[in-house]
Amino acid sequence: MRRVYIVVTLVALFAIVGNHLMSPSTGRAVSPEDFAGACAPCGAPCPSVK
């Protein structure tokens, strides 16, 4: 039974990685200038200070 779990886990892992590698890219690299004026590393805007 343990082998079945290992095989299912490996198949799922390969499917996830394969799906990720086959997905189309955005077509351009992200540069720091894209996030000018952002507070967070993800590019989120700064909350307004009142």
Side-chain angles (χ1 to χ4, degrees), residues 6-9 12-14 17 19 21 23 25 27-29 32 34-41 43 45 48:
I6 292 172
V7 169
V8 168
T9 302
L13 182 65
F14 285 132
V17 171
N19 184 24
L21 293 177
S23 64
S25 65
R28 66 177 184 86
D34 292 341
F35 302 116
C39 289
S48 62

Side-chain angles (χ1 to χ4, degrees), residues 5 14 18 20-22 24 28 30 32 36 43-44 47:
Y5 290 133
F14 285 132
H20 173 71
L21 293 177
M22 293 297 178
R28 66 177 184 86
V30 178

Side-chain angles (χ1 to χ4, degrees), residues 1-2 4 8 10 16 18-22 25 30-31 35 37 41 45-46 49-50:
M1 194 68 176
R2 182 181 291 181
V4 173
V8 168
L10 288 175
I16 291 169
N19 184 24
H20 173 71
L21 293 177
M22 293 297 178
S25 65
V30 178
S31 66
F35 302 116
C46 296
V49 178
K50 293 183 180 181

